[in-house]
Amino acid sequence: IGPIELVVADFHSDDWPLEEWLEEEAGAMKVHRLEMDGPFSRGRGMNAAVEATRSSQILIYDADMLMDETAFITGLSILAEGAEGTAFFPVIQNLDPCGKTDDWYEASLGMVFLPKKTFLAAGGLPEFQNWGGDDEILYEKVAKISRVERFKLLGLEHQWHPVSCRHLHHRGESHEDYWKYRAQRGSETGTDLP
């Protein structure tokens, strides 16, 4: 595959400090850790990570995901074999509380393999401070400028966690920023599109 760079946007996590384990677990991957200040924003963290990477191909990947080698190579193959600018938004599988595979998470758009230039041309992720909607907006923007692949990908799994963990570091109500964004864009364009 060649060298892989792992860029982590860390909002001062303290549950298991990254300096105690990240580089060892990353193995041969080059690790670049970004210390993010201010309130948590998934979009702001992802945008900073993409800006920091030297690679022309990126994978947007949340910390609560597991991915095996076959799934990773499948994503890279789609980028390599696809038309210029192809993006791959795989459908992931949920794990149950015991760690066994559960249902497919068809609505999830939070994982994506795509060229860095496509991500940047789409404007990156909105920098919301509450949970929800940022990945839907990225998907819509990318689909307007690029070919998109989407199918169920075995070996890409979302770890179970209580719903309360989803909102632990967010401000405001779920999807609050998303609906404000939609309303603002609608008033600017006369539509409800990004």
Side-chain angles (χ1 to χ4, degrees):
I1 294 173
I4 298 172
E5 179 184 20
L6 175 64
V7 182
V8 178
D10 180 30
F11 286 82
H12 301 281
S13 58
D14 59 5
D15 54 337
W16 187 7
L18 295 177
E19 61 271 6
E20 294 179 9
W21 63 273
L22 181 61
E23 290 203 26
E24 182 180 337
E25 291 297 322
M29 287 188 285
K30 179 178 179 168
V31 177
H32 186 171
R33 190 168 140 213
L34 305 175
E35 291 289 340
M36 303 296 295
D37 292 320
F40 176 76
S41 166
R42 177 180 180 266
R44 191 163 59 87
M46 294 292 189
N47 291 339
V50 170
E51 286 286 344
T53 188
R54 293 183 193 96
S55 178
S56 62
Q57 307 290 344
I58 60 172
L59 164 61
I60 301 292
Y61 189 81
D62 287 341
D64 61 358
M65 298 294 301
L66 300 173
M67 180 169 41
D68 68 18
E69 184 178 357
T70 302
F72 184 67
I73 291 171
T74 299
L76 292 181
S77 297
I78 289 170
L79 291 180
E81 296 168 7
E84 181 70 20
T86 297
F88 176 42
F89 287 82
V91 177
I92 64 176
Q93 201 163 23
N94 284 319
L95 298 179
D96 69 16
C98 297
K100 296 186 180 359
T101 54
D102 200 358
D103 58 339
W104 289 96
Y105 189 14
E106 300 270 359
S108 175
L109 297 166
M111 292 277 309
V112 58
F113 294 81
L114 77 170
K116 180 177 179 177
K117 67 181 183 179
T118 302
F119 181 87
L120 296 175
L125 280 155
E127 297 186 0
F128 296 163
Q129 289 191 7
N130 47 66
W131 184 86
D134 54 354
D135 46 2
E136 287 95 335
I137 291 167
L138 178 65
Y139 177 83
E140 290 170 357
K141 288 181 173 183
V142 167
K144 286 183 175 184
I145 62 172
S146 172
R147 181 172 170 263
V148 171
E149 291 269 344
R150 185 150 170 78
F151 56 82
K152 294 177 180 176
L153 183 61
L154 288 171
L156 184 56
E157 300 165 333
H158 175 256
Q159 296 182 79
W160 182 89
H161 53 74
V163 172
S164 60
C165 290
R166 177 184 294 162
H167 307 289
L168 194 59
H169 300 289
H170 288 104
R171 296 179 173 189
E173 296 296 317
S174 174
H175 287 83
E176 184 179 339
D177 287 344
Y178 173 74
W179 292 116
K180 284 180 186 173
Y181 173 92
R182 287 289 196 194
Q184 176 66 29
R185 291 294 294 149
S187 67
E188 291 172 5
T189 63
T191 68
D192 190 31
L193 300 175

